[in-house]
Amino acid sequence: QVQLVESGGGLVQAGGSLRLSCVASGRVFPVNTMGWYRQAPGKQRELVASVTSDGRTYYSDSVEGQATISRDNANAKNTLHLQMSRLKPEDTGVYYCNLKAWVGLNIDDYWGQGTQVTVSS
């Protein structure tokens, strides 16, 4: 079982920056993808950015150029970060950390509890 714990959300003014972090604990299989999803009020959860265990990154169009995703796998810890800058009110939402691990032919899917980000105009 894997547990994901997010931190770093909060209230920030438009144009500001913040850094989200997520720590994965438990049995994390080595081939995996960690990512951040965002759920804005009244909208579906959407993928914002992700990074594979071998370092390949993906960014949605909505954050391309204003976000940097990174991960630290040192010392058997899987820590995920999302650095966001030039925040806009439309970046408001609950940000969820996700881990997808390939276990044989199966994919184990884990979610954190979410952290609220509110960007005021």
Side-chain angles (χ1 to χ4, degrees):
Q1 192 71 359
V2 174
Q3 295 79 41
L4 303 175
V5 178
E6 302 106 332
S7 61
L11 175 65
V12 62
Q13 288 189 332
S17 302
L18 58 73
R19 188 186 196 215
L20 304 180
S21 297
C22 171
V23 178
S25 60
R27 189 181 183 187
V28 179
F29 284 86
V31 180
N32 60 72
T33 296
M34 296 187 76
W36 289 99
Y37 287 72
R38 174 173 67 203
Q39 188 162 20
K43 295 188 177 181
Q44 289 189 332
R45 193 175 298 187
E46 61 173 351
L47 176 62
V48 172
S50 65
V51 55
T52 64
S53 47
D54 60 357
R56 288 171 289 145
T57 58
Y58 163 83
Y59 296 95
S60 68
D61 290 342
S62 63
V63 300
E64 182 74 56
Q66 68 164 127
T68 302
I69 192 168
S70 61
R71 62 186 293 171
D72 180 4
N73 297 333
N75 301 320
K77 293 183 180 180
N78 291 272
T79 305
L80 182 71
H81 302 289
L82 183 69
Q83 178 72 46
M84 297 187 70
S85 60
R86 303 191 303 279
L87 286 162
K88 308 179 291 292
E90 48 265 44
D91 293 317
T92 293
V94 180
Y95 284 70
Y96 295 91
C97 178
N98 174 261
L99 184 147
K100 292 179 173 46
W102 275 255
V103 184
L105 298 179
N106 298 315
I107 299 175
D108 288 350
D109 201 12
Y110 300 96
W111 294 90
Q113 293 295 313
T115 184
Q116 176 71 45
V117 172
T118 303
V119 183
S120 62
S121 57

